[in-house]
Amino acid sequence: MAESAVVTENLSKHFGAVKALDDISFKIGKGELFGFIGPDGAGKTTLFRILTTLLLPDGGKATVEGFDTVSEYRQIRRISGYMPGKFSLYHDLSVEENLRFFATIFGTTVSENIHLVQDLYSQIEPFRKRKAGKLSGGMKQKLALCCALIHQPVILFLDEPTTGVDAVSRKEFWEMLNRLRRQQITILVSTPYMDEAGRCDRVALMQSGKIMTIDTPQGIRQQFRKKILAVKGRDMFGLMKILEGFPEIERSYLFGQSLHVTGVSEALTADDLSARLRQQQAPDFRVEEITPDIEDCFIDLTATRE
Amino acid sequence: MNKFRGFVIKEFFHIFRDVRTMIILFGMPVMQMLLFGYVITNEIKEAKIAILDHSRDHVTTELSRRIVASSYFQLAQVLDHDKEILDVFRKGDVKEVIVFEADFAEKLEKTGQAKVQILGDASEPNTAKILVNYTTGILMSYIQELNTQTELPLRIDPVTTMLYNPQMAGVYMFVPGTIAMLLMLICALMTSISITREKELGTMELLLVSPLKAFQIIVGKVLPYVFLGFINAVTILLLGNFVFGVPIQGSVILLLLESILFIIMSLSLGILISTLTNSQQIAMMVSMVALMLPTILLSGFIYPVENMPKILQYLCYIVPPKYFIIIVKNIMLKGTGMEYVWKETLIIIGFTMVFLLLSIRKFKIRLA
């Protein structure tokens, strides 16, 4: 990471009384696949809009490929590809026409750059005469990405590209991003799905306009020093009730098919918890220690901040 | 410039692929024109009448002939007795009955006075009034002719006959008004909708992030509508001319140039509206309510400005179509040239400049 693709310093933005971005500073290296992860309202879209020069920050500054987002916005607009939160395509234009239009307004042609998006486009090519409005969510997503890539951007901003798309398409999409990374394109992607964090080189966990931590997915898991115990059982609701009554438990929350539990002290082991639950005549359960997920880290970070 | 061409081509796709847009663009002018032409004007054609002639002399025969020969009336029935009159009205077809008294010609020659009774079906008061006026008009003109021949001192006012022709004026008047209203509506409505649609879809974000400049986006949006608006203006003029016989006395080229100017003004107003609103619905509401009503009510299209209360008259000064209607009336109906409409032309240019300046200042190269 000799040079940075994106640098922000104390960036902030508020809408009325709401702080959408609160003093955000980070650096993203060239060619990185960088994820911004956080729930709705964390400030991801606002951040992307500032970086794509669509919004002016209230405080701080940001540069993209060395260009200032406020004074040199024209240069940034020429080199970046942007995919807004909802797939912004012209519904009354066909797949082909959408692609052609976005190539034209960037002063290039589809044939000149089709090699950049060839694998992606080949998946939607059979439907090239179909109107974009009649495509499925996954296909719209692919077309939108094609349109964002067709002018050969050096940096790509993808705002929640996997929201509203089925699981298979999501998986394919991330594989596509991985291939793109090999072409030395810097990719910034935001997502509310914690399980997608592992796909990125580095991630920033965001909450209420702040970045809580920035690290590799592995690093974030390692930062989490606490033990996580997963409790499974038939009567999850009953188990939750019982767990809430234990003073030695810091937190317990539903996570997929099981309850994740962290203790107040590190000393709490799976065996301890099993014993305590048995004492309370909890029916039919199993406790095991697991490695923390990004979501566990996120929940912990959020709770610690509060 | 290739970028710009691609953008304009895309705009044409939007227009030609949207059925609603096409209906508004091409259906509305024809529909409005026919509506205003046939429904709103009070002109009467071939109204059925009956004649009861107690005299049957050369004068009454001649009068009946003249009445029936006019395109307003059609003789449905010749009556023989007074008692038939009510029956004829009850059937409903006949709108007017004309009764000549006995010895009509004789009385007229001897005493200079003869009586004719005109009965109108006042269940349709407007029609009845107009029919009676027409009939009186025809009778008057006949008596006037007799007057010049015999120089008998008959009390007639020939001016009244001439005045009874507001219907014809109405037919001529609605063409300029309709052109103004349609161009205003179509141009302002369509551009404001098409820009706010991009905002709603989120594609505006992409356009802004692209290297397209603000004026390219605006001009690209507007250009197709200048073209289509012009086609509309021509359609209305042709319809007015061939269907309703409204003449174009003055220079057709001047008229078309003024139309293009008015189209550009309406478009710049549409852009202004779209820079101030974020949804198609609001843009449509604003265009409809804020543009259509003033254009119909305050432009002198239907109600003469001079008859309005002072406050409304001042309000009329800021309604741009008012000036365009004056221009069109002058060129079409009076056949005057630029020397009579330069003031109005300048005012419209002024409006255009103001709207454009405001919208360029308001148009954001960013989202907020």
Side-chain angles (χ1 to χ4, degrees), chain A:
Chain A
M1 268 187 276
E3 231 182 309
S4 297
V6 179
V7 181
T8 70
E9 283 162 25
N10 312 103
L11 209 57
S12 33
K13 176 82 189 174
H14 54 80
F15 298 106
V18 183
K19 274 190 175 166
L21 286 182
D22 190 1
D23 200 23
I24 282 189
S25 305
F26 61 82
K27 276 184 184 166
I28 296 174
K30 282 196 174 165
E32 250 192 299
L33 173 52
F34 194 97
F36 290 90
I37 297 175
D40 292 348
K44 299 176 308 248
T45 299
T46 307
L47 176 62
F48 274 47
R49 285 182 172 168
I50 288 177
L51 293 179
T52 50
T53 76
L54 283 170
L55 283 180
L56 295 172
D58 295 328
K61 61 173 277 177
T63 58
V64 172
E65 294 288 327
F67 298 116
D68 187 83
T69 53
V70 179
S71 58
E72 296 169 303
Y73 70 94
R74 280 197 191 287
Q75 282 91 328
I76 296 178
R77 289 179 181 190
R78 215 164 291 144
I79 56 165
S80 45
Y82 174 43
M83 197 171 139
K86 38 183 182 179
F87 310 128
S88 300
L89 300 161
Y90 292 103
H91 291 186
D92 51 345
L93 299 190
S94 70
V95 168
E96 222 173 19
E97 286 160 347
N98 265 292
L99 196 60
R100 196 182 307 138
F101 173 70
F102 285 107
T104 326
I105 60 169
F106 279 90
T108 176
T109 59
V110 174
S111 52
E112 212 172 299
N113 287 327
I114 191 73
H115 63 275
L116 292 169
V117 290
Q118 193 57 63
D119 353 326
L120 194 58
Y121 188 62
S122 59
Q123 295 173 43
I124 46 174
E125 207 170 4
F127 311 100
R128 67 201 157 87
K129 297 276 180 214
R130 193 179 289 187
K131 300 271 185 298
K134 295 215 157 69
L135 295 175
S136 69
M139 297 223 267
K140 272 186 195 154
Q141 174 207 43
K142 281 173 190 141
L143 177 57
L145 183 60
C146 279
C147 291
L149 281 168
I150 197 67
H151 62 282
Q152 205 170 357
V154 295
I155 183 161
L156 199 53
F157 297 92
L158 310 175
D159 192 9
E160 300 204 6
T162 52
T163 303
V165 171
D166 64 275
V168 179
S169 296
R170 272 170 63 184
K171 192 164 162 283
E172 281 174 7
F173 191 79
W174 279 100
E175 280 159 12
M176 181 65 212
L177 291 190
N178 262 314
R179 281 197 293 275
L180 279 177
R181 189 170 44 164
R182 272 177 243 134
Q183 296 176 18
Q184 297 303 310
I185 298 180
T186 310
I187 303 172
L188 276 70
V189 55
S190 75
T191 175
Y193 302 120
M194 307 284 165
D195 57 316
E196 290 180 343
R199 304 279 195 164
C200 305
D201 295 329
R202 285 198 304 153
V203 292
L205 298 188
M206 287 184 79
Q207 169 80 347
S208 334
K210 283 191 192 301
I211 290 182
M212 297 187 292
T213 183
I214 297 182
D215 209 331
T216 58
Q218 196 52 41
I220 287 180
R221 280 199 204 94
Q222 279 163 7
Q223 277 177 32
F224 193 80
R225 290 270 163 233
K226 284 176 194 147
K227 219 174 276 168
I228 291 219
L229 305 173
V231 181
K232 275 189 188 173
R234 251 193 337 197
D235 178 18
M236 298 296 273
F237 189 70
L239 282 169
M240 201 145 82
K241 274 270 193 198
I242 297 166
L243 286 167
E244 268 166 17
F246 291 177
E248 63 269 47
I249 284 173
E250 186 190 31
R251 220 175 2 261
S252 67
Y253 48 88
L254 259 176
F255 194 107
Q257 300 291 318
S258 56
L259 280 164
H260 283 193
V261 180
T262 54
V264 175
S265 90
E266 279 298 301
L268 187 77
T269 63
D271 291 342
D272 293 342
L273 192 62
S274 294
R276 284 284 276 137
L277 283 169
R278 229 170 282 126
Q279 224 173 46
Q280 298 288 324
Q281 268 111 47
D284 194 18
F285 65 89
R286 208 172 70 229
V287 182
E288 56 181 345
E289 195 179 330
I290 53 157
T291 50
D293 214 324
I294 296 284
E295 188 160 349
D296 294 311
C297 307
F298 189 88
I299 289 167
D300 186 58
L301 282 165
T302 314
T304 325
R305 277 178 165 270
E306 280 161 4

